[in-house]
Amino acid sequence: MRIFLYLISIVTANVITAALAPLQFGMFIVPMGTLLIGATFIFRDLVQNKYGRAKTYMFIGLALVLSAIVSYILGDTLTIVFASALSFAVAETTDTEIYTRLKLPMSWRVFYSGLVGGLLDSVIFVVIGLSPLGANFLPWEAVPAAILGQVIVKTAIQGIGAMLLNPIHNIFNNKAMSN
């Protein structure tokens, strides 16, 4: 189920981003799929808890291929597909390695690793994919607001997920110990 949630959240984020106009609040621009991207980091952490780091990298590779195919099928330019794949690979790898190395309770590991992964994902995708350097959807003046908007949303989702995850994780661990 964890793997399914991880993979479906990534594909759904691509579909939502392609289908819906970005959310704009004030100066911030946030693609609608960003609402799910924060959750993908949490799902990836849950996959890693169950299957270990080595197998998690196999699932990251599968998710990367699925994401690129879906993005291309939905009509994204090769520049956007490349930027999405690159930002995904860097962010997921960084999240995995930070999550692995932190010696903190699970909720804090999820939050901190996702915070860094989300920041990298946002910066790389916006600069390489959306700025004049990439597909030229955003002028340079809008790039900081686009990055900051995505980081705020991803951080909020990571925070909510981490807060919810700790009690849920404790319940499952207590049931497993009592069996």
Side-chain angles (χ1 to χ4, degrees), residues 5 25 33 47 51 57 64 78-79 81 88 92-93 101 106 114 123 138 159 163 178:
L5 289 172
F25 55 101
V47 167
Y51 298 100
Y57 275 111
L64 176 68
L78 288 179
T79 301
V81 173
F88 180 84
E92 291 289 326
T93 300
R101 287 169 174 73
M106 183 181 178
V123 170
L138 296 174
M163 286 188 311
S178 66

Side-chain angles (χ1 to χ4, degrees), residues 57-129:
Y57 275 111
M58 290 183 345
F59 298 125
I60 289 171
L62 176 59
L64 176 68
V65 170
L66 281 173
S67 178
I69 290 169
V70 169
S71 184
Y72 185 73
I73 288 171
L74 292 171
D76 286 335
T77 66
L78 288 179
T79 301
I80 296 295
V81 173
F82 172 75
S84 178
L86 179 63
S87 65
F88 180 84
V90 170
E92 291 289 326
T93 300
T94 303
D95 182 287
T96 300
E97 294 305 315
I98 291 172
Y99 183 83
T100 299
R101 287 169 174 73
L102 286 177
K103 303 301 178 213
L104 296 169
M106 183 181 178
S107 59
W108 286 110
R109 291 168 55 203
V110 165
F111 181 72
Y112 289 135
S113 64
L115 183 67
V116 176
L119 174 66
L120 289 172
D121 184 62
S122 300
V123 170
I124 293 168
F125 181 72
V126 170
V127 171
I128 294 177

Side-chain angles (χ1 to χ4, degrees), residues 11-84:
V11 170
T12 304
N14 282 340
V15 171
I16 290 172
T17 298
L20 302 173
L23 177 66
Q24 196 158 0
F25 55 101
M27 65 182 212
F28 302 116
I29 304 163
V30 181
M32 293 302 285
T34 302
L35 299 169
L36 284 174
I37 296 300
T40 65
F41 292 117
I42 297 167
F43 293 140
R44 197 225 35 86
D45 293 337
L46 293 172
V47 167
Q48 184 175 347
N49 278 352
K50 182 159 180 125
Y51 298 100
R53 191 170 86 184
K55 285 187 179 176
T56 297
Y57 275 111
M58 290 183 345
F59 298 125
I60 289 171
L62 176 59
L64 176 68
V65 170
L66 281 173
S67 178
I69 290 169
V70 169
S71 184
Y72 185 73
I73 288 171
L74 292 171
D76 286 335
T77 66
L78 288 179
T79 301
I80 296 295
V81 173
F82 172 75
S84 178

